[in-house]
Amino acid sequence: MSDQIAIDGGSVKLLAVMGSPLSVVNSARVSMGRMSDELSEDDWRLIGYLWKHKHTSPFRHMTFQFHIKAPVFVLRQWMKHQVGCAWNEISGRYVQFDHEAWEPSEWRQGSASVKQGSAGPLEDDAALSAQLIYQRAIEQAFKSYEELLSIGVAKEQARTVLPLSLMSECYWSCSLHALIHFLSLRLDGHAQAEIRSYASAVRDSVWGIEGMSRLLAMTL
């Protein structure tokens, strides 16, 4: 459906789309016994009116399916989006995980504000120390995982030592309404930088669908 977009060892790929912005219009107009065959300027004004006045049910008649590869800590934030969404993730109960973990492109300082998790980047020496500590912890986690498996521990228990930076995979299906809600929150500057990168990839993957660039410009 679209090219796979790579992000820091992970990826986003749009697999399927059902409906279009025209689905929004016809879902709204059916109450008056009317429908359109193609989008007119009146239809676009209707879309704007519906969104502005929070008449959101017509926005649930267009849906998307994505394949996502991302670190667990990103997915746990993403999976808070449940309304209008469906999730299915690879299971460490059945699959033995590869030694694949997310690697930060930079280390950031903690922020004094509880509303913002990060300040600017760490100084070079501190960033190097952070990277060494991180790599040591990741290596030990995967080593412990393999040792538990080697003595016969079930995968469903051995996985509990794996880090939040473990790369995982899932399918995410969502309505247009849910997609807009996700993008409005996760593209915001207060969102964690890593999930903002994925939100940008989601937006880019649907941007080329006919009418979507205009619709997102109206609603975000």
Side-chain angles (χ1 to χ4, degrees):
M1 185 70 202
S2 74
D3 293 335
Q4 182 170 281
I5 300 175
I7 313 106
D8 293 334
S11 60
V12 168
K13 184 175 177 61
L14 178 63
L15 299 177
V17 179
M18 186 184 79
S20 69
L22 184 61
S23 305
V24 177
V25 170
N26 286 332
S27 299
R29 292 200 189 281
V30 71
S31 60
M32 304 294 292
R34 298 169 56 195
M35 66 176 293
S36 299
D37 293 322
E38 58 183 32
L39 287 168
S40 65
E41 286 304 312
D42 282 345
D43 293 330
W44 281 110
R45 283 191 285 271
L46 174 62
I47 289 173
Y49 177 89
L50 292 169
W51 189 256
K52 179 179 179 180
H53 295 280
K54 297 181 170 52
H55 299 306
T56 53
S57 60
F59 293 84
R60 300 171 201 153
H61 290 276
M62 182 179 184
T63 60
F64 307 84
Q65 185 186 54
F66 298 87
H67 179 264
I68 301 161
K69 183 178 180 182
V72 168
F73 74 90
V74 167
L75 290 178
R76 293 305 166 262
Q77 294 179 53
W78 202 331
M79 288 179 179
K80 292 179 181 178
H81 297 264
Q82 291 287 333
V83 177
C85 299
W87 290 96
N88 287 94
E89 185 179 6
I90 192 170
S91 175
R93 294 187 68 196
Y94 313 119
V95 174
Q96 183 171 335
F97 286 113
D98 295 329
H99 291 205
E100 187 176 10
W102 167 83
E103 287 283 344
S105 56
E106 71 169 8
W107 289 99
R108 302 186 295 275
Q109 302 177 52
S111 173
S113 170
V114 295
K115 294 183 178 180
Q116 184 64 44
S118 299
L122 281 175
E123 298 293 334
D124 290 346
D125 288 347
L128 178 59
S129 295
Q131 185 64 23
L132 293 173
I133 293 167
Y134 178 81
Q135 288 175 340
R136 186 166 64 241
I138 296 300
E139 289 169 5
Q140 183 58 53
F142 281 120
K143 180 181 177 181
S144 298
Y145 176 64
E146 294 295 338
E147 288 175 344
L148 287 169
L149 292 175
S150 71
I151 61 171
V153 173
K155 289 191 286 291
E156 64 184 22
Q157 287 186 308
R159 64 179 173 168
T160 61
V161 301
L162 292 172
L164 285 173
S165 56
L166 177 75
M167 298 302 293
S168 188
E169 296 182 46
C170 65
Y171 281 86
W172 176 46
S173 294
C174 62
S175 68
L176 173 59
H177 185 200
L179 180 79
I180 295 168
H181 180 66
F182 168 75
L183 292 177
S184 67
L185 292 179
R186 302 304 179 174
L187 288 173
D188 185 86
H190 291 93
Q192 186 170 339
E194 286 75 24
I195 198 167
R196 285 205 311 270
S197 296
Y198 279 88
S200 294
V202 169
R203 178 194 57 200
D204 292 348
S205 68
V206 302
W207 195 260
I209 298 170
E210 185 175 0
M212 279 299 296
S213 59
R214 184 171 180 178
L215 189 149
L216 290 178
M218 295 170 66
T219 55
L220 291 178

